[in-house]
Amino acid sequence: LLELRKLNSVSPVIKVLRQIREIYRLIRLLARLDVDVIQTWMYQSDLIGGVVGTLLRKKIVWGIYSSNLEREYYKRSTYWAIRLCGSLSRYLPHRIVACTRAGSLAHIDIGYPKDRITHIPIAVDTNSFKKCASKRFSIRQSCGVGEHTKVVGMVARWDPQKDHKTMVEGFSLVCDERLDVELWLAGGYGMDDSNRELLELIESSGVTSRIRLFGAIEDIVSFYSGIDIFALLSNGEGMPNVLLEAVSCELPCVASSVGDIPNVVGEYCQLLKHNNDLKLSQALIKLIELDKGEAVNLTRLGRKYVIDNYSIESVSKRYTDLY
């Protein structure tokens, strides 16, 4: 399937022929492995896996995630894949796994059969996602940031579903109140200095010197360990992994009240019902000034909650039961 992603620079006819070739190779591979269940994840893979599984007469399990399916937030090809999956969802998959309840409802609205959808949440490797004092020291030292500085961090790709504009503008209001703050932005797909639109947004904030771009980073636990508050501003979500990872790393959090976020981590997170720079700045300042003992108690309870409900062990058992 990875070969299907390498076809952007060739003609449409050659691209289609190569895709057919790769699908044929996939059919031969799965036939040779003699699998019992084909599990796919997200729309293009659901379509391919659904067709291949039907040809091989295998059990098919689709995976769905998003809760915001509006046209404006997707590339044209992805949007039409979503709609086609909605039409075929009564015929191809035997079961459909939704990792969020909000996502289940959104997909039912476009034709997915309710009786085939099973809710299994995403999992977090809680043994890996935990705060680390040595990693905190290392990343802060490399950035020249002392312990007195309060660092707000956001991990999200550059995408219409993510609201970096409100994040940057809200942070600039925090800077009007405090001198001891920084904003760290990380993520793939345009979260570096090659993104002119992002750079213009940061420059217009007036606090360029207090914002750092990390781009895609391999050691995300170092990033979580280095910051003091995690923020996630979004126009739409299912249940973002990064938010559960941040709670697992015992970080105070603020996030948009979208998708399954209120139901899943609302008790351990400051929620913004509407993305608004003033409301965001107020929430961030509240967390910055939170009593240390109260903050420790809240974040420890949050980590325990993630371990009890979203650890790999607890979620994998639910997949085993499904299969």
Side-chain angles (χ1 to χ4, degrees):
L1 286 177
L2 292 177
E3 292 296 323
L4 300 180
R5 300 180 179 273
K6 301 178 181 178
L7 307 176
N8 293 329
S9 61
V10 299
S11 72
V13 174
I14 294 177
K15 184 183 294 188
V16 169
L17 291 175
R18 289 185 180 178
Q19 288 175 338
I20 292 173
R21 183 191 66 184
E22 295 305 323
I23 291 172
Y24 175 68
R25 289 174 60 187
L26 177 63
I27 292 172
R28 292 187 61 187
L29 173 63
L30 292 174
R32 187 168 67 250
L33 293 174
D34 193 26
V35 299
D36 297 303
V37 178
I38 295 177
Q39 165 85 61
T40 60
W41 192 251
M42 302 303 284
Y43 309 106
Q44 287 89 340
S45 294
D46 287 346
L47 287 174
I48 294 171
V51 172
V52 169
T54 300
L55 292 173
L56 294 174
R57 298 183 179 180
K58 303 296 184 181
K59 297 291 185 181
I60 301 163
V61 179
W62 278 5
I64 56 176
Y65 182 84
S66 301
S67 63
N68 186 345
L69 303 178
E70 295 178 19
R71 172 70 182 88
E72 62 185 292
Y73 296 118
Y74 294 93
K75 294 187 296 184
R76 184 171 58 181
S77 59
T78 302
Y79 178 74
W80 287 112
I82 293 171
R83 305 305 298 191
L84 184 56
C85 282
S87 299
L88 297 176
S89 58
R90 293 185 177 275
Y91 309 103
L92 295 182
H94 296 81
R95 290 289 185 272
I96 301 168
V97 173
C99 66
T100 69
R101 300 194 185 281
S104 297
L105 296 175
H107 286 80
I108 290 169
D109 285 344
I110 65 167
Y112 279 68
K114 181 178 180 180
D115 59 348
R116 296 191 190 184
I117 296 178
T118 299
H119 175 246
I120 301 179
I122 56 177
V124 175
D125 183 356
T126 52
N127 293 321
S128 297
F129 285 98
K130 55 186 177 182
K131 63 181 181 180
C132 176
S134 62
K135 289 187 175 185
R136 178 180 177 86
F137 175 80
S138 179
I139 192 170
R140 282 190 167 234
Q141 185 181 52
S142 67
C143 293
V145 175
E147 278 300 317
H148 66 281
T149 300
K150 300 297 182 182
V151 179
V152 179
M154 176 169 166
V155 180
R157 67 190 183 279
W158 182 256
D159 185 276
Q161 294 268 21
K162 311 301 180 182
D163 192 357
H164 288 93
K165 183 175 186 293
T166 299
M167 181 71 254
V168 171
E169 292 175 351
F171 175 74
S172 71
L173 295 179
V174 176
C175 293
D176 292 339
E177 301 291 328
R178 301 184 65 103
L179 300 176
D180 59 341
V181 291
E182 279 198 9
L183 173 62
W184 293 4
L185 299 175
Y189 306 105
M191 291 307 300
D192 54 36
D193 56 13
S194 66
N195 185 342
R196 172 47 53 184
E197 189 177 355
L198 174 60
L199 293 182
E200 289 175 355
L201 171 63
I202 292 172
E203 289 167 5
S204 68
S205 71
V207 291
T208 306
S209 63
R210 299 206 218 173
I211 300 177
R212 297 176 189 266
L213 296 180
F214 285 76
I217 51 179
E218 293 185 9
D219 188 359
I220 191 65
V221 175
S222 286
F223 183 88
Y224 290 137
S225 297
I227 65 178
D228 300 291
I229 296 168
F230 182 79
L232 184 65
L233 278 292
S234 309
N235 295 308
E237 290 286 357
M239 179 55 227
N241 297 55
V242 291
L243 196 52
L244 285 175
E245 291 167 0
V247 175
S248 181
C249 289
E250 299 182 50
L251 284 168
C253 298
V254 57
S256 303
S257 182
V258 294
D260 261 20
I261 291 175
N263 300 324
V264 174
V265 293
E267 190 174 344
Y268 307 99
C269 183
Q270 291 280 321
L271 296 177
L272 300 178
K273 291 186 177 180
H274 303 285
N275 287 356
N276 174 282
D277 54 1
L278 179 59
K279 294 291 185 183
L280 172 60
S281 67
Q282 291 170 343
L284 291 174
I285 290 173
K286 180 178 179 179
L287 290 179
I288 290 171
E289 297 177 350
L290 191 64
D291 175 75
K292 186 175 181 179
E294 185 179 350
V296 168
N297 183 57
L298 175 66
T299 55
R300 284 180 177 172
L301 287 174
R303 175 169 169 77
K304 182 180 184 302
Y305 166 77
V306 173
I307 291 173
D308 291 344
N309 295 278
Y310 299 96
S311 66
I312 289 177
E313 293 77 15
S314 64
V315 174
S316 63
K317 183 181 184 303
R318 298 179 68 171
Y319 273 102
T320 301
D321 293 341
L322 171 68
Y323 297 147

